[in-house]
Amino acid sequence: ADADGPAGTDAKISEAIGCRTRTVESVRQAFVLEGFAEALVRKQRATAPTPKLLDGAAEAKLIALRLGKPPAGFGHWTLRLLADVRGKLKAEISAVSNIMEEVGLYGARQIAYTLKPDIALVVDVTHATDYPTVSKIQHGDIEIGKGPTLTHGGCNHPEIVTRLEKVAREQKIKLQHEAMSSTSGTDTDAIFWTRGGIPSALISLPNRYMHSPVELVSLKDLKHIPELMAAFALSLKIGEQFKVKI
C-alpha cells in the first residue's frame, strides 16, 4: 500500500474493495508487525459475544408496535396527538431525530441551521437522583414517576419555559425542575445559538442508573412528554414571538 508502489494508496485500495481506509491500514500493520501467516488468521475473541436480546420475530414485533397505534393510555406520540387536531394548529411542526449528540451535537447543529425554526423543544433524558449514594445537594432532587423535568437557565429561553409551565398546569401535567450550569449536555446547547439564536427549551425524562445496563424510566413520565409538547404546539398563535421583556 505504498503511495509509490504498484498497489496505490490506502484510499485507492479501500475504494477498490469497498472497505474503510482504516481497515486497509490495520491489515497492512498486521502484516508488518505479526507476519504473513498470522495476519491471515482471524484472531479468537477474548470474550464470548454478547447474546442478542431480541430475535428476528421479536424485533419485527417491536417495530410494528412502534409504527402502529399506541396502546391506550400510554405510548402517545406527539405527531399522532396533533394529527387529530391539525386544523387548529397555527404553526408548522417539524419532528427531528438527531444523530451524533454524544460526539459534538453535530446532527443538531446541521438540522437547526437547515430548518431555521422559530422555536425548538428538545427532549432528552436526565439523571434521576432518587436512590442511595447520590447527593441531591449537588445533583438536584429528581424522582421517577413525578413527571418530566424542565431545565432553567443557559440555553433555555425563559419565555418558552414559562409557556411550557402554563400549558402543563392547564393539562394537569406534573413537572419537575432543574437548573443548569454552563451547558446542559444536550442538543439544546447547539440549537439555541444557531443562526443568531433560536428560542429553545429542554424537556427531560428522569432516568435512573443512566449509562448503565439497567436504566429505568417511568412510562407515565414518558407519556406526559408528547402530551406537553402537543399542547404547547396548539397554544401557539400566528406571528407570536418569544422575547424577554426588559
Side-chain angles (χ1 to χ4, degrees), residues 149-191:
T149 74
L150 291 183
T151 303
H152 300 259
C155 53
N156 298 278
H157 196 289
E159 292 299 314
I160 302 293
V161 173
T162 298
R163 175 65 64 84
L164 284 168
E165 290 175 322
K166 178 177 181 293
V167 167
R169 286 193 299 271
E170 294 171 349
Q171 299 297 316
K172 294 181 172 54
I173 296 174
K174 291 184 179 180
L175 294 176
Q176 302 183 80
H177 301 271
E178 44 187 343
M180 59 168 282
S181 54
S182 58
T183 64
S184 71
T186 71
D187 284 333
T188 325
D189 296 331
I191 294 172

Side-chain angles (χ1 to χ4, degrees), residues 7 47 57 79-81 89 101 128 133 160-161 185 196-197 199 201 229 243:
T47 58
L79 293 183
R80 289 186 181 275
L81 291 175
L89 279 172
E101 185 257 11
T133 75
I160 302 293
V161 173
M229 296 175 72
K243 299 180 179 181

Side-chain angles (χ1 to χ4, degrees), residues 119-131:
I119 298 167
L121 298 182
V122 181
V123 177
D124 209 314
V125 289
T126 189
H127 289 277
T129 60
D130 54 350
Y131 61 96

Side-chain angles (χ1 to χ4, degrees), residues 6-59:
T9 64
D10 289 350
K12 289 182 179 179
I13 295 173
S14 64
E15 183 179 355
I17 64 178
C19 70
R20 298 185 305 158
T21 304
R22 179 59 185 158
T23 302
V24 178
E25 295 173 355
S26 298
V27 172
R28 173 163 46 80
Q29 184 179 27
F31 272 100
V32 172
L33 297 180
E34 302 173 15
F36 184 81
E38 290 294 329
L40 292 180
V41 177
R42 182 183 293 273
K43 291 183 175 59
Q44 294 292 325
R45 291 181 59 103
T47 58
T50 303
K52 293 183 65 175
L53 296 177
L54 301 175
D55 58 19
E59 289 180 352

